[in-house]
């Protein structure tokens, strides 16, 4: 027997719990909206050759299945057919709609029917345990607000109407007047409640939540869970900020900039290719960022993407997904770059890559696990910088934050903050038992930093894990060239962090830029600059009262042809 769509939703969310919410009775204990599920880091992907990754990822043997036995009531087959609620909850048409979108003209008394052969449908086993992630303190108030909203007060929005006409048109029920009206209501009330203007692509995010509608999960519940998702897991990408006489999208502009930085950090060769071909991140990744990869993705896969994303409870995780998708398609991208027709590559990036590479649930899960590994090998300072700009905040970025972003538009490298560098050193150096108890495990990234010491004077000593570039390079061009060449070929697995004395020394700043350009031209991944330089480290050590022993220069101990490795 084919399981009814209503029973599927009951299994997903628990019908009794939602009935109690609507009746106004006290719900059960709320689950924290930000509960984090430990991500399984698949470092195997980084050990393989890039050319072999896409092929190997398609092997189902690499991908463990989710343990659905822990949640037997949550395991259901989801099809792309939407769920329609009972006639008493219809806003426009009182008669129940069939799954194919036709009205049921038969009497309400069911007639005995002969069993029909089970249709072969493309469906996937998924576990939507969203209640414990999305049922936060705002669910009840959002449900009540939507139910009591005067829909006639909304004047209408041309962009909403335009988007509705092209949202999920491959699903027959999404073409129905009643369903399009609900989509309009959800989009309009989201903008009203959150004081934002509608932005193109928002309906793509709303549609998967609307399609969860059933007799026990009404339109108001769809809205409450949508708003919880946007509040807890989606950055304010679509939130405008008024500057002068026009509205800007500062979060989106920030996302573009930091996408460029993280692509350069993990895919230096791809980054160089995009620069040579004048391919801007906006040309192919805008819909990825604004709709969380939902637009143009089959609805069966959309729920898996949302499910995986929600489990990670990380508003910045889409950055790592962008890099992971590019790594999936890296071999194909370079092959297309050799084609005479330059538009072929851009067309692949903009229109075909996502759907060609993510062809099944297994590929989507492998994509997320690869993104987990990318996150584990990205300095935490990447997320700290975004947080400092107000990127993860619920409110608008301040005008000061926006101006700071504009003034730093020429930043061409990822910065590592002194706190992270000190945490790395503490974690990787021998400490006394008391110190270990005090600090515990303070660094959880899978990174091996090497601090490239380009200070002009080094009288205070050397940091652990630093590599000396002698002061003579400032006067000897041939010696500088030797060190530039050595830096480009130095330990491919190492994360090179360029360390100056501070941020104010212009001469050291120019040399840092020379090293950055040389490393980028040689496709060296994982290059960063230590923010605040050596003096920033000393201030951090003093503030936290930690004991980091500085090494002194000796007469021997050079590391290969590239200077001294301390620690």
């Amino acid at each position: 027997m084919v399981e009814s769509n209503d029973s599927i939703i009951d299994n997903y969310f628990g019908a009794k719990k939602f009935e109690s919410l609507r009746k106004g009775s006290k719900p059960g204990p709320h689950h924290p909206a930000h509960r984090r599920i430990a991500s399984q880091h698949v470092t195997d992907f980084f050990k393989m050759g890039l050319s072999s990754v896409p092929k190997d990822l398609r092997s189902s043997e690499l991908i463990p299945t989710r343990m659905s036995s822990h949640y037997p009531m949550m395991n259901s087959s989801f099809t792309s057919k939407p769920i329609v609620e009972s006639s008493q909850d219809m806003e426009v048409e009182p008669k129940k709609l069939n799954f194919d979108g036709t009205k049921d003209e038969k009497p309400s008394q069911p007639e005995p029917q002969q069993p029909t052969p089970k249709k072969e449908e493309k469906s996937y086993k998924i576990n939507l345990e969203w209640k414990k992630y999305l049922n936060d303190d705002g669910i009840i108030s959002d449900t009540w607000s939507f139910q009591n909203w005067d829909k006639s007060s909304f004047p209408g929005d041309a962009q909403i109407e335009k988007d509705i006409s092209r949202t999920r048109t491959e699903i027959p029920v999404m073409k129905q007047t009643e369903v399009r009206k609900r989509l309009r209501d959800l989009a309009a009330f989201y903008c009203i409640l959150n004081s934002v203007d509608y932005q193109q692509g928002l309906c793509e995010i709303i549609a998967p939540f609307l399609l969860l509608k059933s007799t026990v999960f009404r339109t108001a519940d769809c809205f409450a869970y949508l708003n919880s998702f946007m509040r807890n897991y989606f950055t304010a990408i679509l939130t405008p900020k008024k500057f002068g006489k026009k509205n800007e999208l500062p979060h989106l502009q920030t996302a573009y900039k930091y996408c460029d930085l993280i692509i350069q950090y993990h895919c230096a060769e791809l980054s160089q290719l995009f620069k040579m071909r004048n391919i801007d991140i906006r040309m192919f990744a805008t819909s990825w960022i604004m709709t969380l990869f939902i637009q143009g993705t089959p609805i069966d896969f959309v729920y898996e993407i949302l499910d995986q994303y929600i489990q990670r409870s990380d508003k910045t995780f889409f950055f790592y997904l962008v890099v992971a998708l590019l790594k999936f398609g890296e071999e194909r991208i370079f092959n297309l770059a050799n084609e005479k027709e330059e538009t072929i590559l851009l067309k692949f990036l903009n229109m075909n890559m996502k759907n060609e590479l993510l062809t099944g649930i297994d590929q989507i899960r492998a994509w997320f696990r690869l993104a987990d590994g990318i996150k584990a090998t990205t300095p935490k300072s990447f997320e700290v910088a975004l947080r400092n700009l107000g990127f993860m905040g619920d409110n608008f970025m301040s005008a000061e934050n926006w101006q700071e972003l504009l003034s730093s538009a020429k930043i061409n490298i990822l910065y590592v903050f002194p706190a992270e560098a000190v945490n790395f050193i503490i974690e990787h150096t021998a400490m006394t038992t008391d110190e270990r108890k005090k600090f515990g495990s303070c660094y959880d990234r899978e990174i091996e930093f090497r601090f490239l010491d380009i200070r002009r004077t080094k009288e205070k000593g050397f940091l652990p894990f630093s590599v000396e570039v002698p002061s003579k390079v400032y006067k000897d061009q041939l010696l500088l060239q030797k060190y530039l060449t050595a830096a480009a070929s130095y330990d491919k697995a190492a994360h090179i962090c360029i360390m100056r004395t501070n941020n104010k020394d212009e001469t050291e700043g120019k040399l840092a830029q020379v090293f950055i350009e040389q490393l980028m031209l040689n496709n060296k991944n994982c290059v960063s600059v230590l923010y605040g330089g050596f003096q920033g480290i000393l201030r951090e050590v003093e503030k936290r009262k930690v004991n980091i022993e500085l090494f002194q220069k000796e007469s021997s101990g050079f590391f290969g042809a590239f200077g001294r490795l301390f620690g």
Side-chain angles (χ1 to χ4, degrees), residues 227-382:
N227 205 36
S228 175
F229 171 78
M230 298 295 281
R231 179 169 57 245
N232 295 311
Y233 301 98
F234 196 78
T235 61
I237 291 291
L238 304 176
T239 302
K241 177 71 175 176
K242 197 168 189 66
F243 292 96
K245 295 183 179 180
K246 64 177 183 177
N247 281 336
E248 301 281 1
L249 293 173
H251 291 77
L252 181 60
Q253 299 303 320
T254 304
Y256 287 145
K257 183 63 188 176
Y258 278 78
C259 267
D260 281 335
L261 290 178
I262 197 171
I263 292 170
Q264 177 180 273
Y265 192 80
H266 289 286
C267 308
E269 191 171 3
L270 268 181
S271 179
Q272 290 296 310
L273 174 64
F274 293 158
K275 289 175 182 176
M276 286 190 297
R277 293 295 181 88
N278 293 317
I279 297 176
D280 190 277
I281 187 77
R282 296 165 179 79
M283 295 180 178
F284 63 88
T286 296
S287 66
W288 300 354
I289 297 169
M290 293 187 71
T291 70
L292 202 60
F293 302 90
I294 291 174
Q295 187 175 34
T297 301
I299 192 66
D300 309 82
F301 299 163
V302 166
Y303 287 100
E304 181 66 27
I305 290 173
L306 291 174
D307 195 32
Q308 293 285 337
Y309 200 87
I310 288 171
Q311 289 183 51
R312 283 157 176 81
S313 301
D314 181 358
K315 287 187 176 184
T316 65
F317 199 75
F318 71 89
F319 287 108
Y320 309 116
L321 288 172
V322 168
V323 177
L325 190 57
L326 290 173
K327 279 188 171 290
F328 265 16
E330 193 167 29
E331 183 179 8
R332 180 76 187 281
I333 290 171
F334 283 116
N335 287 338
L336 292 176
N338 294 324
E339 297 286 340
K340 292 182 179 179
E341 180 56 56
E342 295 186 359
T343 59
I344 294 177
L345 174 58
L346 186 57
K347 183 179 179 181
F348 173 72
L349 289 167
N350 188 37
M351 301 175 61
N352 303 331
M353 183 169 72
K354 175 165 61 71
N355 290 339
E356 284 187 19
L357 298 175
L358 304 178
T359 57
I361 297 296
D362 286 350
Q363 282 73 32
I364 291 172
R365 293 176 183 174
W367 172 41
F368 270 82
R369 290 200 297 273
L370 180 57
D372 288 333
I374 291 167
K375 176 178 179 177
T377 53
T378 300
K380 270 191 171 181
S381 299
F382 176 79

Side-chain angles (χ1 to χ4, degrees), residues 454-494:
I454 64 169
R455 292 177 294 157
R456 288 195 287 174
T457 58
K458 303 178 174 67
E459 68 277 0
K460 291 185 179 295
F462 298 88
L463 281 181
F465 307 103
S466 65
V467 177
E468 180 192 11
V469 176
S471 303
K472 293 179 181 179
V473 298
Y474 285 93
K475 298 180 180 180
D476 189 334
Q477 188 172 353
L478 292 177
L479 184 63
L480 173 60
Q481 187 59 50
K482 171 187 173 183
Y483 277 87
L484 289 172
T485 303
S489 59
Y490 179 73
D491 191 1
K492 295 295 183 183

Side-chain angles (χ1 to χ4, degrees), residues 210-228:
L210 176 59
L211 289 171
L212 293 175
K213 186 173 182 293
S214 75
T215 55
V216 297
F217 196 68
R218 301 179 304 174
T219 307
D221 299 315
C222 294
F223 174 78
Y225 273 68
L226 162 72
N227 205 36
S228 175

